Amino acid sequence: VIADLQRLVGSEHVVADPRPDLLADASAYAGVSGVAAALVSPGSPEEVAAVVSWCAERGVPVVPRGGGTGFSGGCVSQDPASVVVSVARLDAVRSLDVLQWRAHVEAGVTTARLARLARENGLRFPVDPGAAEQSHIGGNIATNAGGPHCFKHGVTRAWVLGVEAVLGNGELVTVGGPTRKDVAGYDLAGLLCGSEGTLGIITAAWMRLLPAPPVELPLAAVLPDARAGQEALDAVLGCGVVPAVIEFLDAGSVRASAASFPGGGLPADAGFVLIVEVDTSEADAEEVAGALREAGATVSRPDARALWRWRDGVSIAVASVHGGKLSEDIAVPVERLADAVEGTREIGERHGLEACSWGHAGDGNLHSTFLLDPADAAQRARADEAARDLFALALELGGTVSGEHGLGLLKNGWLSRQWSPGAVAAADAVRAALDPAGVMNPRVKRP
Amino acid sequence: VIADLQRLVGSEHVVADPRPDLLADASAYAGVSGVAAALVSPGSPEEVAAVVSWCAERGVPVVPRGGGTGFSGGCVSQDPASVVVSVARLDAVRSLDVLQWRAHVEAGVTTARLARLARENGLRFPVDPGAAEQSHIGGNIATNAGGPHCFKHGVTRAWVLGVEAVLGNGELVTVGGPTRKDVAGYDLAGLLCGSEGTLGIITAAWMRLLPAPPVELPLAAVLPDARAGQEALDAVLGCGVVPAVIEFLDAGSVRASAASFPGGGLPADAGFVLIVEVDTSEADAEEVAGALREAGATVSRPDARALWRWRDGVSIAVASVHGGKLSEDIAVPVERLADAVEGTREIGERHGLEACSWGHAGDGNLHSTFLLDPADAAQRARADEAARDLFALALELGGTVSGEHGLGLLKNGWLSRQWSPGAVAAADAVRAALDPAGVMNPRVKRP
């Protein structure tokens, strides 16, 4: 195996029996650990195709790997026979067409690098998942990544014009390209978005960009509890302005993170906080602030840069409370946000765990979280049970078990509870169509 | 056949040996005429499923039919054994959730009805293909329809949260729903967008809506020729404002339609016209107007309602010049717009036909048109040859043979020139996966 792979990508780009830390993603916190025959880092899309072809011919599982920042174990190989394919060396910016609002980048370009390139040229790449310095564009596409600014601007799918990928049979294909509209063929580029490496390995993409918005005006609104928060959210949605961002923190999340809030504007005993950013005009920001105040909120205007630095740290602040956490990413219809927030806390109580949630209020997308001491195996087991109750709650509320992270390894089996057997069979048929040998990330995204 | 179908949907909803006018779409102008065993109009998604199951079991071709406004013959049955399934009776608005910016509508709801519902409630459905009073939401999804305002707001796909559909095996499935984010399963809702009835029949959809923009400020910019038009387009794209609309008309289109332009603002001898609509603020409109003037344009500010009424009539005005036309919908990278405009005219000249183009400049999407006398068979034949040259030009410029209309019947065979064999094989495999019996619109969207 190793000799063959070395021949395909060069011996210095093959690691035999890779250590688990080379295979891990953020699900390491949930105890997910990887094992594989080899970790290979091809230097070109053609080398990716050669590796996948080699594997497909021999029935060897292929686990594609981006920046390793996923929360579901989607890139963590579980089979000692697997070949893990990292796209880290595919990191060229093939073109940046400023006037055409687009970039052609390889899969290993980091989210932050594309975002910086855009900013430096008066443009914006509005998809802003966590861990932007580590996560890759290829991984963003493979998980259809979101983030706070996706409320107004849409998740990754909305920014992909075309994709170059190696499919499960080892074919290197390009679907879409620099053109902004195309209905000649099926939307295979869209199908690859969120496919979690089970249909192919993305090697490059044409990404759409946007002129930088004229302003970034964040508001922080403090409310007594989640019910009041839902009413304030309704007030924002009804005020006629389309904010760029509508985030929330429940009481537990505020408690964990309020101390570092910029300008000291957040009382640690706040029951619920909405963070709304307006990117159109000062008048629009005042309109939203007025709607929030009418809904009973105390509104402050934090500094944008400081706010987003703080927001990036919320997850870590929550984890620090007891040293660990199990964090999920359910999404519900936006009018059920308060139900999901309260439900998260109740599920925690039922399992003897402190629970909290924060996330993308405008999209009804919660990072529902159970706090735990990672050394306590019993807590760990109770958190796993709590997560199962949480997924059931999401479905009961008409939502989904994953708004952002995907099924990965950790949510295998849950799609069958969300979709009808006919829809699951259709997904299975599509998977078999693009991965006839069944080698593409075979343990992942199992319905 | 007829007796069975009558049993499934009620005898009054089955037309045996339907007349061609019941089967036609806008491709009638290109001589496309339909034939079928029956036209059935099911009254529920379950009846649609029953009809498709019946057909799949017997290998009878199914041709789904919406408002019949397509330009590619995608719904025009060509097989005397086919069953044409109209979704016209599935016309319920299942829910309109104003505060959540969304609607749940059946496939037979017209585009105009959804747009009006949105407007009446302070919202907007920004997808605005032609023939909005006739075209159905189901058809919009099946063709991934666009329109002028899709420059800023994206084509139909961007507005579909979830789809209910009957797949090729007769299974009624729902993928997606009222939730705004969902990465649990593959994006099968997105895959159905633009699938032209070859993967299933859409019976209902959850559609996203948007708060009405604060203003609608159109600008008309007159330029000497297409090259100057391209420079003016660049100036708009570079000015920092994101317009809602960037349309264009070349010299021939202006000549045909200038007489009815609102306010008399359009000189009939204009070489090129850009129509830009700003929906953010008067200051932004002035910014764009300034950029256009600096690029050498003469800028006027027509009335928005009158402008869009006029714009709706451009296609008819062009057709009226010689009584008929063959109109296509290629799209190219936006920086190649002038090349495509000039190329269209040159191809016309080469085939002895007057040619012009207009369309969605910001998306690089041209309605390239060859004028003809419909009674002149020789002109007709030359127009077909010209269209083939046009598709070749689109591919040469790095574009697509269809930005809006789809392959339908008329562009069968062209995807194989646009995509590599590997990508075409992937599309074929996906088709076979969701339509194992090969009965779904089998003559349409053949790569």
Side-chain angles (χ1 to χ4, degrees):
Chain A
V1 173
I2 300 299
D4 276 11
L5 294 171
Q6 285 178 333
R7 192 175 42 76
L8 294 175
V9 304
S11 56
E12 66 275 39
H13 303 300
V14 178
V15 179
D17 299 318
R19 298 189 319 267
D21 62 294
L22 295 175
L23 305 178
D25 74 2
S27 66
Y29 82 89
V32 178
S33 176
V35 59
L39 167 65
V40 304
S41 303
S44 69
E46 290 73 20
E47 287 187 4
V48 175
V51 170
V52 174
S53 292
W54 186 93
C55 291
E57 280 161 21
R58 288 157 185 80
V60 172
V62 178
V63 177
R65 182 169 179 79
T69 59
F71 278 91
S72 302
C75 71
V76 186
S77 169
Q78 298 297 296
D79 187 330
S82 291
V83 172
V84 177
V85 178
S86 162
V87 297
R89 289 176 66 216
L90 304 179
D91 65 350
V93 174
R94 293 188 185 166
S95 71
L96 173 69
D97 303 311
V98 176
L99 214 49
Q100 287 76 35
W101 307 355
R102 85 186 168 225
H104 190 196
V105 297
E106 291 188 338
V109 168
T110 65
T111 315
R113 187 168 155 217
L114 178 58
R116 267 195 300 271
L117 258 178
R119 274 181 194 268
E120 286 163 7
N121 289 280
L123 298 172
R124 196 60 47 90
F125 178 59
V127 180
D128 54 352
E133 295 288 350
Q134 291 79 45
S135 75
H136 293 175
I137 293 301
N140 288 358
I141 296 171
T143 58
N144 201 9
H149 288 81
C150 296
F151 171 69
K152 176 173 181 176
H153 296 293
V155 294
T156 303
R157 171 68 197 99
W159 300 92
V160 174
L161 292 169
V163 163
E164 177 192 273
V166 175
L167 302 180
N169 59 2
E171 279 278 350
L172 178 64
V173 302
T174 299
V175 283
T179 305
R180 286 171 56 102
K181 286 165 80 174
D182 187 356
V183 290
Y186 295 134
D187 184 8
L188 298 186
L191 185 61
L192 286 165
C193 290
S195 63
E196 301 185 57
T198 64
L199 305 180
I201 302 184
I202 293 143
T203 53
W206 289 97
M207 304 303 290
R208 201 159 66 83
L209 304 168
L210 195 71
V215 289
E216 291 167 78
L217 303 170
L219 307 163
V222 174
L223 292 138
D225 56 31
R227 290 289 142 196
Q230 180 85 53
E231 280 173 36
L233 173 57
D234 286 355
V236 172
L237 294 174
C239 81
V241 174
V242 182
V245 169
I246 313 180
E247 299 278 293
F248 82 98
L249 294 92
D250 82 341
S253 311
V254 171
R255 209 156 42 238
S257 63
S260 57
F261 190 81
L266 219 52
D269 62 347
F272 196 88
V273 171
L274 280 177
I275 291 168
V276 183
E277 185 175 277
V278 170
D279 68 358
T280 42
S281 69
E282 180 58 40
D284 282 352
E286 268 313 305
E287 187 74 35
V288 171
L292 284 164
R293 284 195 197 97
E294 259 183 64
T298 306
V299 179
S300 64
R301 301 276 294 257
D303 171 69
R305 288 176 72 95
L307 174 76
W308 289 112
R309 258 200 312 275
W310 167 83
R311 172 65 183 80
D312 278 346
V314 168
S315 176
I316 291 167
V318 169
S320 305
V321 176
H322 295 306
K325 64 176 173 65
L326 191 148
S327 210
E328 286 302 341
D329 70 312
I330 61 167
V332 296
V334 62
E335 67 271 29
R336 308 307 298 268
L337 180 69
D339 292 330
V341 169
E342 291 181 352
T344 298
R345 221 191 38 238
E346 285 161 16
I347 289 167
E349 266 170 35
R350 206 151 64 227
H351 294 281
L353 295 166
E354 219 173 299
C356 67
S357 57
W358 72 93
H360 317 302
D363 284 325
N365 185 192
L366 295 82
H367 295 304
S368 289
T369 299
F370 305 103
L371 307 185
L372 48 85
D373 172 354
D376 184 333
Q379 273 194 8
R380 189 51 301 131
R382 295 207 304 277
D384 287 341
E385 279 171 39
R388 285 192 285 274
D389 286 1
L390 180 75
F391 299 148
L393 173 70
L395 299 184
E396 202 186 295
L397 295 174
T400 171
V401 298
S402 183
E404 294 195 319
H405 300 166
L407 288 192
L409 293 166
L410 295 180
K411 279 175 259 191
N412 276 338
W414 277 93
L415 188 65
S416 299
R417 295 183 58 174
Q418 184 171 327
W419 281 9
S420 69
V424 169
D428 285 343
V430 166
R431 184 171 188 158
L434 296 188
D435 177 26
V439 294
M440 292 306 304
N441 222 0
R443 308 247 181 147
V444 157
K445 211 176 180 76
R446 285 291 166 199
Chain B
V1 173
I2 300 300
D4 276 11
L5 293 171
Q6 284 177 333
R7 192 174 43 74
L8 294 175
V9 304
S11 55
E12 66 275 39
H13 302 302
V14 179
V15 179
D17 299 317
R19 298 190 317 268
D21 62 294
L22 295 176
L23 306 178
D25 75 1
S27 66
Y29 81 89
V32 178
S33 176
V35 58
L39 167 65
V40 305
S41 303
S44 69
E46 291 73 19
E47 286 186 5
V48 175
V51 171
V52 174
S53 292
W54 186 93
C55 290
E57 280 160 23
R58 287 158 186 78
V60 173
V62 178
V63 177
R65 182 171 178 79
T69 59
F71 278 91
S72 303
C75 71
V76 186
S77 168
Q78 299 295 296
D79 186 330
S82 291
V83 172
V84 177
V85 178
S86 163
V87 297
R89 288 175 66 216
L90 304 181
D91 65 349
V93 175
R94 293 187 185 167
S95 71
L96 173 69
D97 303 311
V98 176
L99 214 49
Q100 287 75 36
W101 307 355
R102 90 190 162 220
H104 190 194
V105 298
E106 291 188 339
V109 168
T110 64
T111 315
R113 187 169 156 218
L114 178 58
R116 267 196 299 271
L117 258 177
R119 274 181 194 268
E120 285 162 8
N121 289 280
L123 298 172
R124 196 60 48 90
F125 178 59
V127 180
D128 53 351
E133 294 289 350
Q134 291 80 44
S135 74
H136 293 175
I137 294 300
N140 288 358
I141 296 172
T143 58
N144 201 10
H149 288 80
C150 295
F151 171 68
K152 176 173 181 176
H153 297 293
V155 295
T156 302
R157 171 68 196 99
W159 300 92
V160 174
L161 293 169
V163 163
E164 178 192 273
V166 175
L167 301 180
N169 59 1
E171 279 279 349
L172 179 63
V173 302
T174 300
V175 282
T179 306
R180 286 170 57 101
K181 284 165 83 174
D182 186 356
V183 290
Y186 294 134
D187 184 8
L188 299 186
L191 185 61
L192 285 165
C193 290
S195 64
E196 301 185 55
T198 64
L199 304 180
I201 302 184
I202 292 143
T203 54
W206 289 97
M207 303 303 290
R208 201 159 66 82
L209 303 169
L210 196 71
V215 290
E216 292 169 78
L217 303 171
L219 307 163
V222 176
L223 291 139
D225 57 32
R227 290 290 143 195
Q230 180 86 52
E231 280 173 35
L233 173 58
D234 285 355
V236 172
L237 294 174
C239 82
V241 174
V242 182
V245 169
I246 314 180
E247 297 278 293
F248 82 97
L249 294 93
D250 80 341
S253 310
V254 171
R255 208 155 46 236
S257 64
S260 56
F261 191 81
L266 219 51
D269 61 349
F272 197 86
V273 170
L274 280 178
I275 292 169
V276 183
E277 186 176 275
V278 170
D279 69 357
T280 42
S281 70
E282 179 58 39
D284 282 351
E286 267 312 306
E287 187 73 36
V288 172
L292 285 165
R293 283 193 198 99
E294 258 183 65
T298 306
V299 179
S300 64
R301 301 277 295 257
D303 172 70
R305 288 176 71 94
L307 174 76
W308 289 112
R309 258 200 312 276
W310 168 83
R311 172 64 184 81
D312 278 346
V314 167
S315 177
I316 291 167
V318 169
S320 304
V321 176
H322 294 307
K325 65 178 172 62
L326 190 149
S327 212
E328 285 303 338
D329 71 313
I330 60 167
V332 295
V334 63
E335 66 271 29
R336 309 307 298 268
L337 181 69
D339 292 330
V341 168
E342 291 180 353
T344 298
R345 221 192 37 237
E346 285 161 17
I347 289 168
E349 266 171 33
R350 206 150 66 225
H351 295 280
L353 294 167
E354 218 171 305
C356 66
S357 58
W358 72 94
H360 316 304
D363 284 325
N365 187 190
L366 295 82
H367 295 304
S368 290
T369 299
F370 304 103
L371 308 184
L372 49 84
D373 171 355
D376 184 334
Q379 273 194 6
R380 185 69 284 138
R382 294 206 304 276
D384 287 341
E385 280 170 41
R388 285 192 284 273
D389 286 0
L390 181 73
F391 299 148
L393 173 70
L395 300 184
E396 201 184 298
L397 295 174
T400 171
V401 299
S402 182
E404 294 195 321
H405 300 167
L407 288 192
L409 292 167
L410 296 180
K411 277 175 263 193
N412 275 339
W414 278 93
L415 189 64
S416 299
R417 296 183 57 174
Q418 184 171 326
W419 281 8
S420 68
V424 169
D428 285 343
V430 166
R431 184 170 187 156
L434 295 187
D435 177 26
V439 294
M440 291 306 303
N441 221 0
R443 307 246 182 150
V444 157
K445 210 174 182 76
R446 285 293 166 195

